Amino acid sequence: MTIKKFFETTDLEDSLFVGYYGGSNLGDELLMEVLQLMLHETGVKKSNFFYFKPELFAQYHKDFGYGII
């Protein structure tokens, strides 16, 4: 199964994503950006991301409307 197929066939509505986001780890920051874009493109309306320093979120990411906690 491809990643694209996974996102198309898996219900990720109201999910929580946890990574080393907000810690200046550029690999995870890039992964978070890609995850948000894929969620958006597959029509997911509500999901949340645990972000170490929420006040810095807008500095690194586009806001797709997902919760930042």
Side-chain angles (χ1 to χ4, degrees):
M1 177 183 289
T2 66
I3 293 172
K4 185 175 189 295
K5 187 63 130 179
F6 172 80
F7 274 84
E8 292 172 347
T9 59
T10 305
D11 181 9
L12 294 169
E13 202 68 47
D14 207 22
S15 295
L16 172 63
F17 294 89
V18 178
Y20 195 60
Y21 311 127
S24 300
N25 182 333
L26 296 180
D28 282 326
E29 297 297 324
L30 178 58
L31 178 59
M32 180 184 185
E33 195 74 14
V34 171
L35 283 170
Q36 288 190 99
L37 179 60
M38 293 187 84
L39 290 169
H40 178 74
E41 287 181 348
T42 55
V44 173
K45 302 287 185 228
K46 182 181 177 192
S47 279
N48 296 289
F49 287 82
F50 177 78
Y51 204 78
F52 185 64
K53 294 182 180 178
E55 66 276 7
L56 296 179
F57 175 80
Q59 184 175 345
Y60 298 108
H61 300 284
K62 178 179 177 180
D63 186 357
F64 286 93
Y66 299 116
I68 304 300
I69 56 173

